[in-house]
């Protein structure tokens, strides 16, 4: 079973007993920014509604990361030689550290590319580009930002 690991200043892997906390972070974000409701849990190029079941599946099959102050969460998975970061909720400080965790993991494991997959309306596009991510429009209803891990 997974253990909570503190890395990248207070980002930790989440366990199954914290599903309600994750849902609460999402609901709080959605209250402020309604289109975030569309984010849900991103799985195999399709969106699933944000539910306990979807989060449970993500925890079992991917890495669910939460900020220790519960101000944000995201999901990352290794996929065909890259790391995907999806389902990002919360303030940008938390999101930035979650992405940092993904970049660190990629570096440690020799993975060369990191993709951040977000809705078209995402409000942190510029901040993501400031972190060195480049938008790669793949023609979906979502945006893909890519960065080479060096």
């Amino acid at each position: 079973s997974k253990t909570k690991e503190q890395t990248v200043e207070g980002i930790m892997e989440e366990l199954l007993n914290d599903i309600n906390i994750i849902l609460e972070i999402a609901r709080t974000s959605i209250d402020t920014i309604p289109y975030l409701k569309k984010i849900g849990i991103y799985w195999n190029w399709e969106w699933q509604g944000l539910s306990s079941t979807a989060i449970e599946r993500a925890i079992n099959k991917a890495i669910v990361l939460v900020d220790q102050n519960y101000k944000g969460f995201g999901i990352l998975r290794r996929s065909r030689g890259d790391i995907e970061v999806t389902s990002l909720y919360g303030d940008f400080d938390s999101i930035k550290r979650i992405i940092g965790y993904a970049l660190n993991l990629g570096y440690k494991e020799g993975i060369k590319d990191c993709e951040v997959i977000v809705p078209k309306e995402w409000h942190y596009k510029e901040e993501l580009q400031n972190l060195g991510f480049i938008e790669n429009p793949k023609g979906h209803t979502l945006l893909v930002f890519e960065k080479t891990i060096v």
Side-chain angles (χ1 to χ4, degrees):
S1 76
K2 292 183 187 175
T3 54
K4 284 196 178 183
E5 192 180 12
Q6 297 280 348
T7 52
V8 195
E9 299 150 56
I11 295 298
M12 56 200 179
E13 276 194 37
E14 222 24 281
L15 306 170
L16 284 171
N17 56 351
D18 296 318
I19 288 175
N20 287 332
I21 294 170
I22 292 172
L23 282 170
E24 196 47 46
I25 295 168
R27 285 190 197 111
T28 306
S29 299
I30 290 165
D31 286 346
T32 326
I33 304 152
Y35 76 75
L36 286 175
K37 196 176 172 87
K38 289 186 198 171
I39 294 184
I41 301 292
Y42 178 70
W43 207 259
N44 292 336
W45 291 99
E46 69 176 49
W47 301 106
Q48 314 281 319
L50 193 69
S51 66
S52 301
T53 316
I55 291 170
E56 191 173 328
R57 182 173 54 198
I59 289 172
N60 284 324
K61 302 251 196 243
I63 301 171
V64 177
L65 297 174
V66 174
D67 171 82
Q68 68 182 2
N69 303 316
Y70 296 105
K71 291 195 184 330
F73 80 88
I75 295 175
L76 60 101
R77 66 176 63 79
R78 300 165 190 84
S79 157
R80 296 187 299 281
D82 62 19
I83 284 189
E84 289 177 359
V85 185
T86 61
S87 306
L88 287 164
Y89 284 88
D91 62 27
F92 193 71
D93 180 58
S94 302
I95 287 170
K96 189 165 83 175
R97 287 181 288 127
I98 287 164
I99 292 168
Y101 184 108
L103 294 171
N104 280 353
L105 185 67
Y107 183 76
K108 275 192 278 202
E109 296 190 359
I111 294 171
K112 291 277 178 275
D113 296 300
C114 181
E115 290 192 343
V116 175
I117 301 165
V118 294
K120 281 244 194 299
E121 312 93 318
W122 209 51
H123 53 304
Y124 292 131
K125 289 184 257 197
E126 201 176 307
E127 288 88 335
L128 210 48
Q129 286 164 329
N130 292 342
L131 295 179
F133 282 83
I134 293 162
E135 192 178 325
N136 176 359
K138 291 199 170 177
H140 292 271
T141 54
L142 43 94
L143 291 175
V144 178
F145 287 87
E146 296 177 340
K147 182 179 170 102
T148 304
I149 301 172
V150 287

